[in-house]
């Protein structure tokens, strides 16, 4: 640093120090600033005291108001607003329900003879921390909420109880319960002597029903696909909230007669005799994996209420498994005389698939399970039966391919002059002419396969909803209703999850092998450019099993096992047909057909007419293509 720079820094520092000293306030100014700060501090403390006093006054007024309301309610209900809660248990051979005298509703539901994830023989559908149900009545001066009242139980047996909340002077709220022989709980709510406490316009009551839906199965993601709020329209048919995203305050624009909080295999259903009004509001919120809960359900409902007590509000509750036959039988126990369609809780597929499962798969499944067979054996037998039913279609499809295979040398010879890309239309026309002469239709092999697709899809919907597979062992599989991991890890990997399912791997490997077999068979019948296009499609055929792995790794082992067995038998059938087909004899039959067509004037004429029509159509397509090319060249 040179001398001039040092002198410059010194002068700048001197200027800054001098300016700061010159700007320093005097002693009088400092005293005045301190006085102002003291006044501001006093004012601030005064404002804070006043705000605190106002807040305390507001809270005191609020407490006084709540106390007055409580005193009014207490005066009305006497001892019903205080007490010690106790429980009453209703039970039969299928279910055990615990009712709490605080609120008078079911706080715990245990479904018997269904194991939970910990291996207990009975399954807890919900407990008091999971579910709450309250009825809200709007009075002239006070609103009455049943969850705030203590009810007195009477007429208690294993299947009946009467819950009474005393409102004084002969006025009371009464809830009566009757448990049926299976999973149906009958309930009525009635006001006695309370007509004067309600406005004359009140004809309804509000209902708030909430449940933190428990995870009951091992596979969180897979079970969540089948967990949803479902409701039944009074006019018929069901609707459900999305099971893949949050839905808040979904309004139902028509009357409904039941609402269901559903998991994959179990449901809690609330049914109203007089229906729920059109302004029902439903909410379903997804829960995080690892919380042991699937969704947070909430239903805000309205239904008929008679303040005079002449007519009770009647309800029925179903706490039980999503078993198609059980739901059908339990519905017969309803006293409401409605077509509730509770069996709709078991999803059987799209409208085109559902009849197959409803009128075929269900009956076959019931018949096979009646023999007491293991569910894995049942799946194998169902597969064999379906293969036997579809065998004529499979054989027809195969024979169509075989005919095209034995004609391939003749097709190659007849179309060898059409090797240029611009001659492909003529080549296709020549091939179709050859097929027609020999009585072969390339499309005849596609239609039978398309007909089989609904049957293949039917089991896709049926197996995941078959509660009979739940907890069933077979070979290495501990539970056919969920995945069967051979490797698990703690971290969730995108698109894979936290495990590898053995049956899914077997299904995907079998799919690859079956695709290879099909590709080889189709390659033998392809001509010219078709063979080149088939090479391009091969990678897609091999990619599909990889895609299936990411889709089905979380799916039930029963479904993956069914697909594995189905592919195995399909490959066996194709192999057997190939071994038993004599290509020389088949070609001789086709040659005889060819001569028959030539010697039959009528058939020959019809064939010529079809060929002429095909030629005209081809020529028209060629002409349109040339016009498009000219227009494109013009704009270029």
């Amino acid at each position: 640093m040179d001398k001039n720079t040092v002198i410059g820094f010194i002068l700048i520092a001197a200027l800054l120090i001098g300016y700061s000293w010159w700007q320093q306030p005097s002693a009088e100014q400092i005293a005045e600033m301190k006085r102002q700060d003291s006044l501001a501090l006093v004012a601030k403390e005064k404002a804070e005291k006043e705000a605190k006093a106002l807040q305390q006054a507001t809270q005191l007024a609020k407490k006084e108001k709540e106390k007055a309301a409580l005193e009014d309610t207490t005066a009305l209900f006497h001892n019903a607003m205080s007490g010690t809660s106790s429980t009453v248990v209703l039970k039969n051979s299928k279910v055990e329900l615990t009712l709490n005298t605080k609120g008078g509703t079911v706080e715990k539901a245990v479904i018997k003879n269904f194991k939970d994830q910990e291996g207990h023989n009975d399954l807890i559908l919900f407990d008091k921390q999971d579910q709450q149900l309250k009825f809200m009545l709007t009075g002239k001066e006070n609103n009455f909420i049943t969850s705030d009242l203590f009810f007195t139980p009477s007429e208690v047996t294993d299947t009946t109880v009467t819950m009474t909340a005393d409102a004084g002077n002969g006025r009371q709220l009464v809830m009566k319960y009757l448990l049926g022989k299976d999973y149906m709980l009958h309930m009525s709510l009635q006001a006695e002597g309370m007509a004067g406490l309600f406005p004359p316009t009140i004809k309804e009551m509000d209902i708030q029903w909430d449940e933190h839906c428990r995870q009951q199965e091992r596979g969180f993601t897979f079970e969540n696909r089948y967990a949803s709020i479902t409701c039944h329209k009074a006019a018929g048919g069901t609707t459900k909230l999305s099971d893949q995203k949050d839905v808040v305050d979904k309004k139902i624009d028509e009357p409904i007669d039941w609402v269901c909080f559903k998991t994959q295999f179990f449901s809690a259903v609330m049914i109203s005799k007089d229906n729920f009004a059109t302004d029902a509001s439903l909410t379903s919120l997804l829960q995080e994996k690892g919380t042991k809960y699937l969704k947070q359900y909430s239903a805000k409902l309205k239904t008929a209420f008679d303040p005079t007590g002449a007519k009770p509000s009647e309800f029925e509750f179903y706490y039980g498994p999503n078993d198609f036959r059980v739901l059908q039988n339990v519905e017969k126990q309803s006293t409401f005389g409605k077509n509730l369609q509770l069996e709709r809780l078991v999803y059987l597929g799209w409208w085109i698939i559902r009849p197959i499962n409803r009128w075929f798969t269900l009956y076959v499944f019931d018949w096979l399970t009646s023999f007491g067979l293991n569910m894995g054996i049942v799946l194998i037998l169902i597969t064999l039966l379906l293969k036997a039913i579809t065998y004529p279609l499979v054989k027809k499809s195969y024979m169509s391919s075989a005919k095209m295979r034995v004609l391939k040398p003749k097709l190659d010879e007849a179309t060898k002059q059409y090797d240029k890309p611009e001659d492909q239309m003529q080549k296709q026309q020549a091939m179709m002419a050859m097929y027609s002469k020999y009585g072969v239709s390339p499309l005849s092999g596609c239609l039978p396969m398309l007909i089989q697709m609904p049957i293949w899809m039917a089991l896709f919907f049926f197996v995941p909803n078959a509660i009979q597979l739940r907890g069933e062992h077979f070979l290495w599989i501990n539970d056919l209703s969920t995945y069967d991991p051979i490797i698990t890890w703690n971290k969730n990997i995108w698109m894979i999850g936290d495990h590898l399912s053995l049956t899914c791997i077997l299904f995907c490997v079998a799919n690859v092998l079956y695709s290879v077999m099909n590709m080889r068979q189709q390659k033998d019948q392809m001509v010219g450019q078709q063979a080149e296009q088939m090479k391009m499609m091969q990678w897609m055929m091999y990619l599909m099993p990889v895609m299936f792995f990411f889709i089905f790794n979380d799916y039930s082992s029963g479904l993956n096992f069914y697909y594995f067995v189905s592919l195995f038998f399909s490959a066996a059938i194709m192999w057997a047909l190939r071994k038993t087909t004599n290509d020389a004899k088949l070609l001789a039959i086709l040659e005889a057909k060819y001569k028959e067509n030539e010697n039959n004037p009528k058939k020959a004429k019809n064939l010529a007419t079809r060929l002429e029509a095909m030629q005209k159509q081809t020529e028209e397509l060629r002409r349109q293509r040339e016009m498009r090319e000219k227009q494109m060249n013009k704009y270029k």
Side-chain angles (χ1 to χ4, degrees):
M1 188 179 295
D2 61 13
K3 180 180 178 181
N4 292 333
T5 304
V6 172
I7 293 172
F9 276 121
I10 292 173
L11 291 175
I12 291 171
L15 287 172
L16 291 173
I17 294 171
Y19 181 78
S20 300
W21 177 81
W22 184 66
Q23 289 292 330
Q24 183 177 342
S26 64
E28 291 81 6
Q29 289 175 326
I30 293 173
E32 180 62 22
M33 290 170 61
K34 289 182 178 179
R35 190 179 69 82
Q36 292 293 337
D37 289 343
S38 298
L39 291 174
L41 181 62
V42 171
K44 181 179 179 182
E45 291 177 350
K46 182 179 179 181
E48 288 178 351
K49 288 181 179 178
E50 289 177 352
K52 187 175 181 180
L54 179 61
Q55 184 180 6
Q56 290 176 345
T58 303
Q59 290 178 348
L60 182 61
K62 183 178 179 181
K63 289 181 179 179
E64 289 294 332
K65 185 177 180 180
E66 291 176 350
K67 182 179 178 182
L70 181 61
E71 288 175 351
D72 289 341
T73 306
T74 304
L76 177 63
F77 279 96
H78 299 289
N79 296 328
M81 288 297 296
S82 62
T84 302
S85 64
S86 60
T87 58
V88 176
V89 177
L90 304 181
K91 58 184 178 180
N92 56 26
S93 61
K94 303 294 182 63
V95 69
E96 182 178 297
L97 306 176
T98 303
L99 287 76
N100 198 317
T101 56
K102 175 69 182 299
T105 56
V106 177
E107 70 171 15
K108 182 179 181 181
V110 177
I111 303 176
K112 298 181 179 181
N113 304 317
F114 286 94
K115 289 187 177 181
D116 61 12
Q117 291 188 61
E118 286 73 35
H120 301 130
N121 290 328
D122 299 328
L123 178 142
I124 299 175
L125 183 61
F126 60 83
D127 208 339
K128 60 182 178 181
Q129 69 268 20
D130 302 329
Q131 187 179 116
Q132 184 180 40
L133 172 63
K134 53 187 177 183
F135 302 90
M136 295 167 282
L137 310 173
T138 304
K140 289 180 178 178
E141 299 179 0
N142 300 294
N143 295 333
F144 313 117
I145 304 176
T146 57
S147 59
D148 295 334
L149 304 178
F150 287 85
F151 288 78
T152 302
S154 60
E155 302 175 1
V156 180
T157 68
D158 282 346
T159 57
T160 62
V161 65
T162 298
M163 295 282 195
T164 304
D166 187 10
N169 298 322
R171 296 173 294 191
Q172 55 189 13
L173 279 178
V174 180
M175 295 182 182
K176 293 184 178 181
Y177 290 94
L178 170 63
L179 179 61
K181 64 179 182 179
D182 289 319
Y183 302 97
M184 186 76 83
L185 177 68
H186 307 264
M187 179 255 193
S188 66
L189 186 151
Q190 189 170 14
E192 297 183 358
M194 299 179 65
L197 302 177
F198 298 96
T201 57
I202 292 297
K203 301 296 182 183
E204 293 181 329
M205 65 176 169
D206 294 286
I207 301 171
Q208 178 75 40
W209 190 23
D210 302 293
E211 181 180 326
H212 207 186
C213 181
R214 289 190 174 198
Q215 178 185 344
Q216 302 289 359
E217 314 305 325
R218 177 199 287 168
F220 173 85
T221 305
F222 188 64
E223 185 182 6
N224 233 334
R225 291 190 181 101
Y226 300 93
S228 65
I229 296 184
T230 305
C231 60
H232 183 262
K233 302 172 185 176
T238 57
T239 185
K240 72 182 186 71
L241 269 59
S242 171
D243 50 50
Q244 298 297 315
K245 62 181 181 180
D246 291 343
V247 180
V248 180
D249 289 334
K250 170 69 175 180
K251 301 296 182 183
I252 307 299
D253 57 2
E254 56 184 299
I256 56 179
D257 50 23
W258 57 256
V259 176
C260 171
F261 292 164
K262 178 180 179 293
T263 66
Q264 182 180 3
F265 291 125
F266 302 95
S267 289
V269 185
M270 184 179 186
I271 309 163
S272 173
K273 182 177 183 179
D274 298 307
N275 299 334
F276 298 111
T278 55
D279 56 352
S281 175
L282 307 177
T283 296
S284 175
L285 304 176
L286 297 171
Q287 303 298 289
E288 293 292 332
K289 185 176 182 179
T291 62
K292 299 298 182 182
Y293 288 96
L294 301 172
K295 293 181 173 70
Q296 179 70 54
Y297 291 146
S298 179
K300 299 176 182 178
L301 311 165
K302 288 181 181 293
T303 192
F305 171 70
D306 183 4
T308 67
K311 179 184 177 183
S313 299
E314 295 186 61
F315 305 90
E316 290 174 336
F317 296 86
Y318 174 83
Y319 304 111
N322 297 331
D323 185 309
F324 193 92
R325 299 305 184 194
V326 169
L327 289 165
Q328 281 186 319
N329 293 332
V330 168
E331 183 173 329
K332 297 175 183 177
Q333 301 175 25
S334 174
T335 59
F336 296 165
K338 294 183 174 184
N339 182 19
L340 297 173
Q341 297 181 305
L342 287 174
E343 69 275 6
R344 289 293 187 94
L345 292 174
V346 181
Y347 184 60
L348 297 179
W350 306 323
W351 66 270
I352 195 172
I353 302 296
R354 182 179 173 83
I356 299 173
N357 282 328
R358 174 66 182 86
W359 302 109
F360 173 77
T361 311
L362 266 171
Y363 284 96
V364 173
F365 195 77
D366 291 343
W367 175 63
L368 291 174
T369 54
S370 66
F371 295 104
L373 299 173
N374 181 278
M375 288 300 142
I377 302 297
V378 169
L379 289 175
I380 293 174
L381 293 176
I382 288 178
T383 307
L384 284 172
L385 180 60
L386 291 175
K387 292 300 177 185
I389 293 173
T390 58
Y391 177 76
L393 298 175
V394 173
K395 185 176 181 180
K396 184 175 182 180
S397 177
Y398 172 80
M399 292 308 297
S400 176
S401 300
K403 290 175 182 178
M404 295 170 67
R405 183 180 68 246
V406 298
L407 287 176
K408 184 176 183 298
K410 294 182 176 294
L411 288 171
D412 289 336
E413 180 66 25
T415 60
K416 63 182 180 180
Q417 68 270 30
Y418 303 114
D419 288 337
K420 296 179 181 180
E422 60 270 19
D423 295 335
Q424 292 306 308
M425 188 68 70
Q426 290 89 335
K427 185 173 186 175
Q428 188 70 23
Q429 181 182 354
M431 289 171 56
M432 295 303 296
M434 286 285 292
Y435 284 141
S436 297
K437 290 177 181 179
Y438 283 94
V440 176
S441 173
L443 296 178
S444 64
C446 300
L447 185 59
M449 299 306 295
L450 291 175
I451 294 174
Q452 291 183 74
M453 282 301 295
I455 299 175
W456 190 83
M457 289 295 296
L459 271 293
F460 174 81
F461 292 108
F462 180 82
V463 172
N465 290 287
I467 194 173
Q468 292 84 352
L469 300 180
R470 186 179 185 273
E472 282 291 314
H473 297 253
F474 182 67
L475 299 177
W476 70 89
I477 305 171
N478 292 325
D479 187 349
L480 285 165
S481 70
T482 187
Y483 59 82
D484 57 321
I486 54 171
I487 301 175
T488 59
W489 51 87
N490 295 327
K491 188 176 181 180
N492 190 63
I493 299 177
W494 181 67
M495 290 188 69
I496 297 179
D498 56 4
H499 66 276
L500 291 178
S501 173
L502 179 56
T503 51
C504 178
I505 294 173
L506 290 175
F507 161 49
C508 292
V509 171
N511 207 341
V512 171
L513 297 176
Y514 186 68
S515 297
V516 170
M517 179 183 292
N518 270 338
M519 294 294 291
R520 287 180 178 177
Q521 179 176 315
Q522 292 177 18
K523 184 179 179 181
D524 292 339
Q525 68 191 43
M526 296 299 173
V527 179
Q529 193 177 21
Q530 289 181 332
E532 295 298 322
Q533 293 174 349
M534 181 58 63
K535 291 180 181 179
M536 298 174 61
M537 291 179 60
Q538 282 182 352
W539 70 272
M540 295 182 61
M541 299 295 293
Y542 297 143
L543 183 62
M544 283 183 63
V546 178
M547 296 173 58
F548 282 151
F549 169 76
F550 293 110
I551 295 172
F552 286 90
N553 190 47
D554 258 332
Y555 272 55
S556 71
S557 55
L559 183 63
N560 282 316
F561 179 72
Y562 160 72
Y563 283 144
F564 167 70
V565 174
S566 180
L567 285 171
F568 174 81
F569 286 125
S570 295
I573 291 170
M574 296 298 290
W575 179 85
L577 288 172
R578 184 69 179 89
K579 289 296 182 181
T580 56
T581 301
N582 189 315
D583 288 359
K585 289 184 178 181
L586 182 60
L587 181 58
I589 294 173
L590 294 175
E591 291 288 359
K593 186 72 174 177
Y594 178 81
K595 292 180 179 179
E596 180 185 347
N597 289 335
E598 279 190 332
N599 297 330
N600 189 327
K602 185 176 181 180
K603 288 186 176 181
K605 183 178 180 181
N606 291 337
L607 178 60
T609 303
R610 290 199 301 270
L611 292 176
E612 184 180 355
M614 289 172 57
Q615 187 174 3
K616 289 181 179 180
Q617 184 179 9
T618 304
E619 184 63 26
E620 178 64 21
L621 290 173
R622 185 187 63 78
R623 188 183 65 80
Q624 291 179 2
R625 184 183 64 184
E626 290 178 352
M627 290 181 61
R628 286 196 299 268
E629 290 177 352
K630 288 180 180 179
Q631 289 178 352
M632 291 177 65
N633 292 331
K634 180 180 179 181
Y635 285 115
K636 288 180 179 179

